C-alpha cells in the first residue's frame, strides 16, 4: 500500500520522475502550496522570471536547444493568460512544453472568484491537450500523460490546471510506467511500401531537391546525421525552412540556403523548377510556398511528416510517409544502398544539368550586400558576428523582424538545436527569454539574441532574470530605429506611408543595460564592429550590444505576396513588380 | 482547398454535404474541443448530435453535419483524429450506401378545424402522436432531412407552433463497421 502524498508533493515527485532540472515560473495565490513544496525540495531548480510570457519562451529556448521538454509553473488568472502567447508560439513551432497553472479551489470554480479564469477553455486551441484536475488521485497520471503527449509524435505544449484545494489534498502516487493512453498512439515507423515508392521516384528524378524543416530537429540529434548521410548518398541539393536551419551544414556545397519569402534565389528557383521534391519534416507553410497555385507546378512531391494532418493540408502530394523522420530516413538509406549500390556515382550524370542550372542561379549571389565606409549594414553586422563566433559552439536566438531574416540568411549553422526563432507565430519578444532558457541548458556556451530595438522592448524585463542567475546572454540589437519589417512593407506596399513604424523615444540601451546590472556597449561605425564584438564575447556577463545600423535597409531577396518562387525580387530595382492584389495578402 | 493568405485564386471546388462522425472519450471538454476545432478553422457545423454509445469503454459518438470540398472534408477528419480523446473518425456522403435519420418533435395548436387538417398531414407522413389536448397535439417524426423539411413546409399553415430537431444520425448499410484510423493518412 503506497503512502498518501499531497497534490503538491505528487507534482514534484512526478516532475522528478521525469528528470526535470528547471522550472520557469512566477508565484501567486493559486500556486502557493506548489511553491511551498518547491521550497522544501532541492532537486528541481526554479527560475524566477519577470513576466509569465518570459517563462514560457525561456522554457521553449531550453527545450529547443536541449531536446528535453520545458516546464512552466504559473498562477491562475493573469498568470495563465500571460502564458497564452508562449503556448501558442510553442504550438505553432511544435515545441514540447508542460505548463502547470494554479486554479481557484474547486468549490469556487464558476463563481468569478478572485483571479479565476477558464484556463483550459482559453488554452484549448493553443495546446496539444490540456486538463483540469479535479481529483487528486488523477493528478500523477495526468502529469505522466502530459509529458508523454508533449514529447512524442509531433511535439507541442500541454497544460495542467490544478485547483488550489487539490494541491493540498492527499492522494495516491501512481508511477509513470503503467500509463496507457488508448486514443494516443503516434506512428513512428513509416509505411515501407510508401518508402519504396519514394525511392523509385528518387532513382528516376533528373531535377530533385530535398526540402527539410523543423521536423528533422524534433526527430532528435541523430536525425541530422542521418540527413547528412542521405544527402551525401544521393548527391541531391537541399534547402531548409527557417525552422530547419542547422540540420544540414550551412556552408556545405549541396546546401542552397533557406527557401521561402526571404530565401535565396537558387533555393526558390530550384523549388519551382524541380521534378521531384522530397519534403522531410516541413509543412508547406505560406511563407514557404508563396502562391500555392503557382507552387512548384511540375514536380512529384514526397512528404515525410509525423503529423498525418499535415499531409495534403496545403499542397497535394504524390507519396506521403507518416512517421519519425530519423526512422524513415534510415530506411531510405538502407533501401538505396541495397537496391542502388554506388547510387551517387551512377546517378551523377542524370542530375548534372540540374546542378549546372543551380550554379547559374547561385551566380546571382542573392544575399550579397555592399558595405560602405559610413554606416553599418545590418547584413554586415550579422556576417561579422558569424565570422567572429563560428569557431565556438554558438547558440542564436532572435526576435521577429528584418533582423531575424538577416540572421537566418547570414548566420550559417552547422548543427541542429543551435537556432531558436519564433517562426510560426512570429512573436516579438521571444528572443531574450528564449536565450535565457538556452543558456541554462548550456551554461558554458555562447548564447546570442540577435534582436531588433522594437522587439527587445517587449520582454526587456527578462534581462533582470539573466542578471539574477548570472546568465551571460548577449543581446545583439540591430538598431535601425524602425520596426523595420513593418517599414519595409509600408515602403513596398503602402506608398511609403510610415504609419507608426518609427520608434520615437528609444531608451539609451547602454544605460539601460547598466541600470539592470548588465554591460552596455555600442557600435556605429563599420571599422569598430569587430573589436566591439570580440569585447562582447569576452564579457562574462549579460550584455546589450547596441549596433546602430542603416535605418532604411530592406531585407532581400523577397517573394512578394501573391507571387511564385520564380518571381522573386532581388533588390530595389525590382520593386515595382508588386501587384495591387499582392497588397491584400499578409 | 484550405484557406491561406495566398490562396485567393483557388479554383472553386465542388461543395458537398457530409456527415462526420467521431468516436470520442466521454470526458469533460471533449465537445468543446470538437466544436472549437470547427469554429477555429472556419468549418461549418449544420447540426450536431452527441451521446454515449459504449458505457463500459466510456465512448461517445459525435455526429456532425457539415459541408465542404473534398480536401476540406479530408482535412476536417485529419484534424479531428489529431485530438487526443478522439479514437476514430468516419464520413458519410449523402448517398444510398448509408442510412440517415433525423428526429423531429412538432407541436400543433389551434381550433378543431385546423388541428384536423394538421392531423391528416401528420398521418400522411407517418408521424407518431405523443400527446393530445383539445387545443393541441405533439407528434414525432423520424425520417431523412428532406422528408422532415417537406413535412414542416406542408404542416406550417395548420397550427405548427413549435419544432425541435436532432439533426441527422448516420450508419453504413450492410455488415461493415468503421475501422480504427487513428494516426493514418486518410
Ligand atoms: C508581438 C508582435 N506584435 C507585432 C508584430 C508585427 N511585427 C512584425 S516585425 C515588426 C517590427 C519589428 O521591429 P524590430 O524589432 O525593430 O525589428 P526590425 O524589423 O527593425 O529588424 C512588427 C511590429 C509581431 N511580429 N509580434
Ligand atoms: Mg528595428
Amino acid at each position: 500500500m503506497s503512502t498518501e502524498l499531497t497534490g503538491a508533493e505528487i507534482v514534484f515527485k512526478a516532475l522528478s520522475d521525469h528528470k526535470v532540472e528547471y522550472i520557469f515560473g512566477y508565484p501567486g495565490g493559486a500556486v502557493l502550496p506548489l511553491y511551498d513544496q518547491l521550497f522544501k525540495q532541492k532537486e528541481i531548480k526554479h527560475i524566477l522570471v519577470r513576466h509569465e510570457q518570459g517563462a514560457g519562451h525561456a522554457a521553449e529556448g531550453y527545450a529547443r536547444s536541449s531536446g528535453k521538454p520545458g516546464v512552466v509553473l504559473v498562477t491562475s488568472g493573469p498568470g495563465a493568460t500571460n502564458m497564452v502567447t508562449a503556448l501558442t508560439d510553442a504550438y505553432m513551432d511544435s515545441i514540447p512544453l508542460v505548463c502547470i497553472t494554479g486554479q481557484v479551489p474547486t468549490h469556487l470554480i464558476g463563481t468569478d472568484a478572485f483571479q479565476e479564469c477558464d484556463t483550459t477553455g482559453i488554452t484549448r486551441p493553443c495546446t496539444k491537450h490540456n486538463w483540469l484536475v479535479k481529483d487528486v488521485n488523477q493528478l500523477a497520471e495526468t502529469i505522466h500523460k502530459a509529458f508523454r503527449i508533449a514529447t512524442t509524435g509531433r511535439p507541442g505544449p500541454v497544460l495542467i490546471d490544478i485547483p488550489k484545494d487539490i494541491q493540498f489534498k492527499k492522494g495516491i502516487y501512481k508511477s509513470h510506467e503503467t500509463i496507457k493512453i488508448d486514443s494516443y498512439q503516434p506512428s513512428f515507423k513509416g509505411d515501407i511500401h510508401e518508402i519504396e515508392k519514394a525511392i523509385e521516384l528518387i532513382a528516376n528524378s533528373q531535377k530533385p531537391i530535398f526540402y527539410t524543416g523543423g521536423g528533422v530537429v524534433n526527430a532528435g540529434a541523430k536525425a541530422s546525421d542521418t540527413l547528412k548521410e542521405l544527402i551525401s548518398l544521393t548527391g541531391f541539393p537541399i534547402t531548409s525552412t527557417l525552422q530547419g536551419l542547422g540540420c544540414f551544414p550551412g556552408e556545405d556545397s549541396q546546401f542552397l540556403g533557406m527557401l521561402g519569402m526571404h530565401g535565396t534565389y537558387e533555393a526558390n528557383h530550384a523549388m519551382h523548377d524541380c521534378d521531384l521534391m522530397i519534403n522531410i519534416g516541413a509543412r508547406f507553410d505560406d511563407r514557404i510556398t508563396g502562391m500555392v497555385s503557382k507552387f512548384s507546378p511540375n514536380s512529384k512531391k514526397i512528404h515525410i511528416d509525423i503529423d498525418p494532418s499535415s499531409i495534403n493540408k496545403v499542397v497535394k502530394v504524390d507519396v506521403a510517409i507518416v512517421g519519425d523522420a530519423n526512422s524513415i530516413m534510415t530506411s531510405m538509406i538502407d533501401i538505396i544502398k541495397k537496391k542502388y549500390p554506388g547510387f551517387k556515382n551512377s546517378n551523377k550524370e542524370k542530375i548534372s544539368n540540374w546542378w549546372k542550372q543551380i550554379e547559374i542561379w547561385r551566380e546571382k549571389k542573392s544575399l550579397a550586400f555592399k558595405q560602405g565606409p559610413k554606416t553599418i549594414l545590418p547584413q554586415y553586422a550579422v556576417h561579422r558576428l558569424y565570422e567572429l563566433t563560428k569557431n565556438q559552439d554558438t547558440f542564436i536566438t532572435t526576435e521577429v523582424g528584418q533582423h531575424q531574416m538577416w540572421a537566418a540568411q547570414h548566420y550559417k549553422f552547422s548543427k541542429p538545436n543551435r537556432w531558436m526563432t519564433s517562426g510560426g507565430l512570429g512573436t516579438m519578444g521571444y528572443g531574450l527569454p528564449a536565450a535565457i532558457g538556452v543558456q541554462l541548458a548550456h551554461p558554458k556556451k555562447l548564447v546570442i539574441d540577435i534582436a531588433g530595438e522594437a522587439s527587445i522592448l517587449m520582454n526587456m524585463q527578462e534581462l533582470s532574470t539573466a542578471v539574477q542567475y548570472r546568465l551571460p546572454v548577449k543581446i545583439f540589437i540591430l538598431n535601425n530605429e524602425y520596426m523595420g519589417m513593418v517599414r519595409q512593407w509600408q515602403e513596398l506596399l503602402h506608398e511609403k506611408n510610415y504609419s507608426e513604424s518609427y520608434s520615437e523615444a528609444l531608451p539609451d540601451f547602454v544605460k539601460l543595460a547598466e541600470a539592470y546590472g548588465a554591460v552596455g556597449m555600442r557600435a556605429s561605425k563599420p571599422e569598430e564592429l569587430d573589436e566591439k564584438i570580440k569585447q562582447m564575447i569576452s564579457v562574462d556577463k549579460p550584455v546589450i550590444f547596441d549596433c546602430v545600423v542603416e535605418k532604411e535597409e530592406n531585407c532581400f531577396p523577397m517573394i512578394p505576396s501573391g507571387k511564385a518562387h520564380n518571381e522573386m525580387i532581388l533588390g530595389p530595382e525590382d520593386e515595382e513588380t508588386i501587384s495591387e492584389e499582392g497588397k491584400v495578402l499578409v | 482547398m484550405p484557406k491561406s493568405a495566398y490562396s485567393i485564386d483557388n479554383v472553386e471546388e465542388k461543395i458537398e454535404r457530409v456527415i462526420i462522425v467521431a468516436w470520442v472519450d466521454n470526458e469533460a471538454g471533449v465537445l468543446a474541443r470538437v466544436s472549437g476545432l470547427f469554429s477555429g478553422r472556419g468549418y461549418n457545423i449544420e447540426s450536431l448530435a452527441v451521446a454515449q454509445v459504449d458505457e463500459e469503454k466510456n465512448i461517445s459518438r459525435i455526429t456532425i453535419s457539415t459541408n465542404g470540398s473534398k480536401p476540406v472534408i479530408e482535412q476536417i477528419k485529419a484534424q479531428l483524429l489529431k485530438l487526443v480523446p478522439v479514437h476514430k473518425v468516419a464520413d458519410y456522403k449523402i448517398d444510398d450506401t448509408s442510412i440517415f435519420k433525423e428526429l423531429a418533435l412538432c407541436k400543433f395548436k389551434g381550433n378543431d378545424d385546423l388541428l384536423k387538417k394538421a392531423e391528416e398531414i401528420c398521418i400522411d407522413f407517418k408521424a407518431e402522436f405523443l400527446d393530445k389536448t383539445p387545443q393541441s397535439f405533439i407528434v414525432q417524426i423520424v425520417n431523412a432531412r428532406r422528408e422532415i423539411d417537406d413535412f414542416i413546409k406542408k404542416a406550417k399553415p395548420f397550427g405548427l407552433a413549435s419544432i425541435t430537431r436532432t439533426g441527422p444520425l448516420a450508419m453504413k448499410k450492410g455488415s461493415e463497421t468503421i475501422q480504427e484510423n487513428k494516426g493514418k493518412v486518410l
Side-chain angles (χ1 to χ4, degrees):
Chain A
M1 179 70 209
S2 34
T3 47
E4 296 211 319
L5 303 177
T6 67
E9 288 168 337
I10 288 175
V11 169
F12 277 86
K13 185 162 169 43
L15 294 180
S16 148
D17 278 359
H18 289 279
K19 308 200 164 47
V20 172
E21 291 175 284
Y22 292 106
I23 301 177
F24 301 88
Y26 208 92
V31 282
L32 284 177
L34 288 167
Y35 272 84
D36 198 53
Q37 187 57 33
L38 171 77
F39 191 76
K40 291 178 187 154
Q41 58 87 54
K42 290 241 153 40
E43 204 182 326
I44 298 169
K45 286 172 271 316
H46 179 269
I47 303 300
L48 178 67
V49 294
R50 300 301 186 262
H51 183 296
E52 289 86 352
Q53 185 191 352
H57 296 319
E60 285 188 86
Y62 176 86
R64 278 196 192 202
S65 65
S66 69
K68 293 183 257 184
V71 180
V72 178
L73 173 60
V74 295
T75 193
S76 66
T81 55
N82 274 348
M83 265 302 294
V84 169
T85 300
L87 289 170
T88 311
D89 193 273
Y91 192 54
M92 293 286 270
D93 284 343
S94 310
I95 309 301
L97 291 192
V98 175
C99 176
I100 296 171
T101 50
Q103 182 54 278
V104 302
T106 35
H107 71 277
L108 287 181
I109 290 178
T111 66
D112 299 318
F114 178 61
Q115 296 196 326
E116 179 187 358
C117 72
D118 178 5
T119 302
T120 48
I122 291 171
T123 59
R124 205 172 280 131
C126 61
T127 52
K128 193 170 165 188
H129 198 60
N130 64 14
W131 299 262
L132 168 63
V133 183
K134 287 183 165 173
D135 172 1
V136 68
N137 289 310
Q138 295 288 318
L139 186 54
E141 184 171 339
T142 304
I143 299 173
H144 300 322
K145 284 183 181 174
F147 274 88
R148 164 100 56 90
I149 290 170
T151 54
T152 56
R154 178 173 177 178
V158 297
L159 180 141
I160 310 161
D161 200 23
I162 312 177
K164 193 169 182 179
D165 55 325
I166 302 297
Q167 300 169 32
F168 281 121
K169 263 201 191 124
K170 287 201 158 186
I172 302 289
Y173 186 79
K174 222 173 157 181
S175 87
H176 63 283
E177 284 94 33
T178 55
I179 300 304
K180 243 181 75 212
I181 318 173
D182 282 345
S183 60
Y184 181 77
Q185 323 271 0
S187 43
F188 189 81
K189 282 177 93 169
D191 182 328
I192 193 70
H193 299 293
E194 296 300 310
I195 296 177
E196 275 166 355
K197 273 195 225 162
I199 300 298
E200 281 321 296
L201 290 175
I202 285 173
N204 288 308
S205 161
Q206 297 186 326
K207 299 192 282 179
I209 186 163
F210 279 95
Y211 145 48
T212 58
V216 182
V217 184
N218 277 338
K222 266 209 194 115
S224 294
D225 293 333
T226 313
L227 176 67
K228 274 178 244 168
E229 192 183 346
L230 181 63
I231 300 303
S232 101
L233 187 71
T234 55
F236 290 179
I238 169 173
T239 176
S240 166
T241 67
L242 181 71
Q243 295 302 357
L245 294 175
C247 289
F248 192 80
E251 293 199 337
D252 192 287
S253 64
Q254 279 174 265
F255 189 60
L256 308 189
M258 180 174 78
L259 80 159
M261 184 172 270
H262 292 290
T264 65
Y265 191 78
E266 54 272 33
N268 285 333
H269 276 258
M271 285 289 280
H272 186 271
D273 284 8
C274 66
D275 68 2
L276 177 66
M277 177 184 299
I278 308 145
N279 171 345
I280 308 178
R283 60 185 175 89
F284 296 108
D285 174 76
D286 55 68
R287 303 287 106 157
I288 292 300
T289 59
M291 189 66 120
V292 173
S293 56
K294 301 179 188 167
F295 176 69
S296 196
N298 302 314
S299 60
K300 291 253 188 249
K301 297 174 185 75
I302 299 168
H303 190 179
I304 298 170
D305 203 301
I306 199 152
D307 175 4
S309 76
S310 288
I311 309 285
N312 297 332
K313 179 172 72 176
V314 179
V315 170
K316 190 139 180 49
V317 295
D318 302 278
V319 176
I321 312 171
V322 172
D324 172 74
N326 188 43
S327 154
I328 293 167
M329 287 190 292
T330 307
S331 308
M332 289 168 80
I333 291 169
D334 290 346
I335 297 175
I336 295 174
K337 280 185 176 163
K338 214 189 272 157
K339 268 184 109 173
Y340 303 98
F343 179 77
K344 188 177 175 175
N345 282 329
S346 59
N347 200 57
K348 205 170 199 156
E349 184 57 32
K350 200 189 280 162
I351 59 169
S352 66
N353 281 336
W354 179 231
W355 270 114
K356 269 183 212 141
Q357 177 59 57
I358 288 170
E359 292 308 330
I360 293 169
W361 288 323
R362 262 186 177 154
E363 277 308 301
K364 284 267 183 187
K365 299 206 184 317
S366 58
L367 297 181
F369 56 88
K370 280 199 201 88
Q371 175 62 57
K374 286 214 186 84
T375 49
I376 300 172
L377 283 187
Q379 302 92 314
Y380 177 71
V382 176
H383 171 70
R384 291 315 303 160
L385 188 66
Y386 170 61
E387 290 298 330
L388 296 168
T389 58
K390 70 178 180 188
N391 291 328
Q392 66 193 98
D393 193 9
T394 306
F395 292 70
I396 303 287
T397 69
T398 75
E399 308 291 334
V400 171
Q402 290 179 317
H403 63 274
Q404 175 189 31
M405 293 299 113
W406 283 316
Q409 292 173 337
H410 298 278
Y411 204 99
K412 313 285 177 207
F413 296 90
S414 53
K415 289 187 195 153
N417 307 100
R418 302 302 190 274
W419 165 245
M420 276 63 49
T421 193
S422 169
L425 196 62
T427 311
M428 292 169 69
Y430 169 88
L432 172 56
I436 287 172
V438 175
Q439 189 79 77
L440 277 161
H442 306 276
K444 297 261 157 10
K445 300 290 166 69
L446 176 60
V447 182
I448 306 172
D449 171 24
I450 298 182
E453 79 298 328
S455 295
I456 194 64
L457 290 176
M458 284 211 176
N459 274 322
M460 190 69 244
Q461 76 285 345
E462 298 308 327
L463 185 52
S464 183
T465 310
V467 170
Q468 177 178 343
Y469 296 96
R470 299 176 198 283
L471 302 170
V473 296
K474 310 293 185 276
I475 304 165
F476 191 79
I477 302 176
L478 297 179
N479 187 347
N480 52 12
E481 295 180 14
Y482 274 105
M483 296 173 194
M485 195 55 100
V486 174
R487 194 206 54 74
Q488 175 168 348
W489 282 58
Q490 289 171 334
E491 178 187 322
L492 301 181
L493 305 167
H494 296 276
E495 291 83 38
K496 306 195 180 178
N497 295 327
Y498 296 136
S499 177
E500 304 295 322
S501 55
Y502 183 70
S503 297
E504 311 266 354
L506 281 170
D508 177 331
F509 283 108
V510 174
K511 286 192 186 147
L512 187 63
E514 284 159 7
Y516 274 107
V519 174
M521 40 202 301
R522 177 172 296 124
S524 40
K525 295 197 188 69
E527 69 268 17
E528 60 178 343
L529 192 56
D530 277 25
E531 216 31 64
K532 293 247 165 104
I533 289 176
K534 283 184 206 156
Q535 212 179 315
M536 170 186 87
I537 297 168
S538 68
V539 180
D540 192 27
K541 272 182 149 195
V543 176
I544 298 184
F545 190 118
D546 186 16
C547 187
V548 180
V549 297
E550 180 67 46
K551 294 192 205 325
E552 302 202 349
E553 186 68 10
N554 282 336
C555 186
F556 288 117
M558 177 177 182
I559 305 178
S561 323
K563 296 282 182 175
H565 279 168
N566 61 348
E567 297 172 307
M568 62 188 313
I569 55 181
L570 290 170
E573 325 68 75
D574 296 333
E575 278 170 23
E576 61 285 357
T577 60
I578 297 176
S579 67
E580 274 303 310
E581 70 170 2
K583 290 186 194 177
V584 303
L585 307 170
V586 293
Chain B
M1 282 298 277
K3 288 186 297 188
S4 147
Y6 291 107
S7 303
I8 49 168
D9 70 338
N10 274 336
V11 277
E12 290 288 318
E13 304 223 23
K14 212 178 110 217
I15 305 287
E16 44 183 355
R17 194 168 156 254
V18 171
I19 310 286
I20 291 182
V21 174
W23 284 258
V24 303
D25 287 327
N26 180 15
E27 63 180 29
V30 65
L31 184 59
R33 284 181 210 286
V34 170
S35 60
L37 188 156
F38 274 75
S39 60
R41 292 184 182 266
Y43 309 137
N44 184 30
I45 296 184
E46 242 173 39
S47 74
L48 186 153
V50 201
Q52 192 179 59
V53 290
D54 187 333
E55 201 179 348
E56 201 183 308
K57 293 189 183 141
N58 198 34
I59 298 286
S60 289
R61 184 163 166 155
I62 299 183
T63 307
I64 295 174
S65 156
T66 186
N67 46 49
S69 62
K70 203 161 176 284
V72 166
I73 300 298
E74 290 305 303
Q75 181 60 200
I76 293 176
K77 283 163 46 192
Q79 291 293 347
L80 280 169
L81 281 170
K82 209 167 136 177
L83 297 177
V84 172
V86 171
H87 290 255
K88 59 179 178 179
V89 172
D91 64 320
Y92 301 76
K93 309 224 164 38
I94 314 293
D95 58 23
D96 56 10
T97 64
S98 299
I99 292 169
F100 303 94
K101 288 289 175 206
E102 164 170 352
L103 184 147
L105 296 178
C106 299
K107 180 182 289 189
F108 291 82
K109 87 186 175 185
N111 58 30
D112 276 3
D113 242 19
L114 201 67
L115 288 185
K116 197 139 197 314
K117 284 188 189 123
E119 245 184 74
E120 279 168 23
I121 297 168
C122 292
I123 291 165
D124 244 19
F125 277 85
K126 300 199 172 61
E128 190 179 329
F129 290 79
L130 303 178
D131 174 62
K132 239 174 186 169
T133 74
Q135 299 82 31
S136 72
F137 67 82
I138 297 173
V139 291
Q140 154 193 315
I141 169 163
V142 177
N143 215 324
R145 184 172 82 155
R146 200 169 307 136
E147 255 51 61
I148 297 179
D149 286 351
D150 204 26
F151 166 72
I152 288 170
K153 213 160 94 195
K154 294 227 166 81
K156 197 126 210 186
F158 304 100
L160 181 50
S162 178
I163 310 166
T164 179
R165 301 171 67 159
T166 58
L169 298 177
M171 195 170 268
K172 280 250 164 349
K173 285 183 182 170
S175 61
E176 189 193 337
T177 54
I178 303 298
Q179 299 300 306
E180 289 289 329
N181 50 5
K182 188 91 179 174
K184 302 251 162 57
V185 190
L186 297 169

